[in-house]
Amino acid sequence: MRSGNLRWKASTVLICLIGAIAAHAQLTEGTIVGNVTDPSGAVLSGAKVSVRNVGTDATVELTTDDIGYYRAAHLAPGTYEIRVEKPGFKVAILDNVHVSVNFTTRSDVTLLVGSTQESVTVSESVTLVQTEEARLSGTITTQEITELPLNGRQIYQLVTLQPGVTATTAPVISSVPSPTSAVTFDFGFIANGSNPRANNFILDGNSNNNEWLGGQPLIYPSLEAVEEMQVQTLNFSAEYGRNSGAIVHVVTKAGTNDLHGSTFYSTRNSSFDAANAFDQPGQKSPLHLHQFGFSLGGPVIKDKTFFFLNYEGSRLSEGLPSLVITETPAFRQDVFTRFPNSIAALFFHDFPGPACIPGTEFSTGSVSTDPNATNPILGPFLVGPVNPAQNDKCSAI
């Protein structure tokens, strides 16, 4: 009896693991479907279809069914070659067929009458409209990722290229007290009016969400390591769940039979930048950003095992101007003299204000002494309107 329970538990765990692996595969792979017909449009059943990954030489072989339909599932993102052959017809070869993550590519094939020793090669064009599914999505390719200018090499800025997606820096407001109750999104976005905290980030099929904050990715992958990024904004399937906003899925690169790599260096320097709007005249806030790294991929065992690695380093040194409102030294001294026992005098004693530097201050108001007015902290003081005439007068009250 105990042995039977153990077998039942082991079977349950195995089924759960298989289900988890299958669900993960759905999020990281693509599919190719199509119909095989003759020149008259009649379907051809029993045609042999070979789908080969150009980079790794991995091949999937299948046969068309009774309606001439074929479906090659669980394909890694990349470029493929489709070869279709049937006795009495020329061999048809479709090259440059691109498979994207969680995307169904349709490639219909027409076989011409002739000998199987002859072949016809057709170069596939990019599929502009998704006809197999109703969801609204877009894929950002490797070329776009590497060639479009990005501030700080931040890939999630590209999400706003999709229709209906707009950037936002709106603060995250939460009724639950926490360190992130009122912080600002670094690269937040709104998809079709959804809440910026409702977006779902996926990296290679795994959750990449900042669970503490929400609406932000946890890991920001290097551009050199990204194969493509898919953004789904409407009608995505229930397999995602969790969030009501956009689905942002990033897939990283993998090695191929060819040894390939890259090095990069990117820099920003305040010497080449315009002055900040809040900088003092003739001054610039310092900014020195250096980003560098490399990527390398290739075969371990040809057609069997591959590797890919990436490193990116970042060094940032910057200063930001800030506006501080503080009392003048003369004002603090006046409080010490006239109200030595006030709370203000104690506060000014324990927390002295910054030194007054001529040329960096401007008046935010004048102070008058009205014996009929009483301030519970400072005493009989009134703060008047801004007085431009007192600009840069460090001794002015």
Side-chain angles (χ1 to χ4, degrees):
M1 184 69 178
R2 186 174 181 179
S3 176
N5 289 337
L6 290 176
R7 285 197 298 269
W8 180 84
K9 292 179 180 179
S11 300
T12 303
V13 172
L14 181 61
I15 292 173
C16 292
L17 289 175
I18 294 174
I21 294 172
H24 180 272
Q26 291 176 357
L27 298 179
T28 59
E29 300 170 342
T31 304
I32 297 178
V33 300
N35 283 93
V36 179
T37 60
D38 63 15
S40 67
V43 298
L44 296 176
S45 61
K48 180 181 177 181
V49 180
S50 300
V51 180
R52 183 178 69 89
N53 187 310
V54 176
T56 63
D57 208 35
T59 303
V60 176
E61 295 186 349
L62 36 90
T63 304
T64 58
D65 59 16
D66 294 339
I67 60 173
Y69 181 80
Y70 73 92
R71 178 183 179 87
H74 307 301
L75 302 177
T79 302
Y80 286 79
E81 177 189 84
I82 302 175
R83 180 185 177 92
V84 183
E85 52 186 296
K86 184 178 175 63
F89 295 89
K90 298 179 181 179
V91 176
I93 300 175
L94 278 66
D95 60 9
N96 198 34
V97 179
H98 187 74
V99 173
S100 297
V101 59
N102 199 30
F103 191 88
T104 301
T105 301
R106 187 170 189 89
S107 295
D108 295 325
V109 183
T110 299
L111 296 183
L112 302 179
V113 177
S115 171
T116 55
Q117 303 301 318
E118 301 177 274
S119 64
V120 178
T121 302
V122 179
S123 295
E124 280 282 271
S125 58
V126 178
T127 303
L128 299 179
V129 179
Q130 170 65 279
T131 60
E132 303 302 311
E133 299 176 353
R135 59 192 170 94
L136 184 62
S137 65
T139 300
I140 301 171
T141 64
T142 303
Q143 182 179 5
E144 293 172 305
I145 293 172
T146 56
E147 295 184 0
L148 288 175
L150 294 173
N151 184 11
R153 292 174 53 84
Q154 219 292 26
I155 187 173
Y156 290 108
Q157 298 175 52
L158 296 174
V159 175
T160 55
L161 293 177
Q162 302 304 309
V165 180
T166 56
T168 178
T169 56
V172 181
I173 303 298
S174 173
S175 59
V176 181
S178 70
T180 59
S181 293
V183 300
T184 302
F185 284 115
D186 289 332
F187 298 98
F189 60 88
I190 297 173
N192 299 316
S194 63
N195 191 306
R197 298 188 74 169
N199 300 316
N200 188 6
F201 296 90
I202 301 173
L203 180 62
D204 287 334
N206 299 293
S207 175
N208 188 32
N209 294 284
N210 187 328
E211 303 293 350
W212 179 263
L213 176 59
Q216 290 277 275
L218 183 63
I219 299 174
Y220 294 81
S222 171
L223 298 183
E224 301 295 316
V226 175
E227 176 71 24
E228 63 182 30
M229 179 171 66
Q230 184 188 70
V231 182
Q232 303 181 50
T233 56
L234 282 175
N235 297 335
F236 37 83
S237 64
E239 65 183 305
Y240 293 98
R242 190 182 190 280
N243 294 66
S244 60
I247 308 295
V248 182
H249 194 174
V250 175
V251 177
T252 56
K253 294 179 179 178
T256 65
N257 280 323
D258 297 324
L259 184 65
H260 59 87
S262 64
T263 60
F264 63 90
Y265 173 75
S266 175
T267 182
R268 284 190 60 193
N269 194 300
S270 53
S271 300
F272 305 102
D273 294 343
N276 190 295
F278 300 99
D279 287 336
Q280 295 299 319
Q283 300 180 2
K284 286 184 181 179
S285 298
L287 171 63
H288 303 283
L289 173 62
H290 306 279
Q291 293 176 288
F292 49 89
F294 69 93
S295 67
L296 181 66
V300 177
I301 302 176
K302 186 176 176 61
D303 295 340
K304 297 292 184 180
T305 309
F306 311 92
F307 77 93
F308 183 86
L309 58 91
N310 166 259
Y311 167 78
E312 177 167 337
S314 179
R315 305 293 183 268
L316 174 63
S317 174
E318 65 176 334
L320 298 175
S322 61
L323 177 64
V324 179
I325 300 177
T326 183
E327 63 284 337
T328 64
F331 177 80
R332 291 194 295 271
Q333 186 58 44
D334 190 69
V335 172
F336 292 144
T337 302
R338 300 175 59 189
F339 306 97
N341 298 321
S342 66
I343 297 177
L346 180 62
F347 182 83
F348 292 156
H349 179 271
D350 293 340
F351 302 97
C356 185
I357 304 175
T360 63
E361 293 81 24
F362 63 91
S363 173
T364 59
S366 59
V367 178
S368 63
T369 58
D370 183 355
N372 297 322
T374 301
N375 187 301
I377 296 180
L378 297 179
F381 286 95
L382 288 179
V383 179
V386 174
N387 184 1
Q390 292 187 355
N391 286 353
D392 297 333
K393 295 184 179 180
C394 291
S395 62
I397 296 180

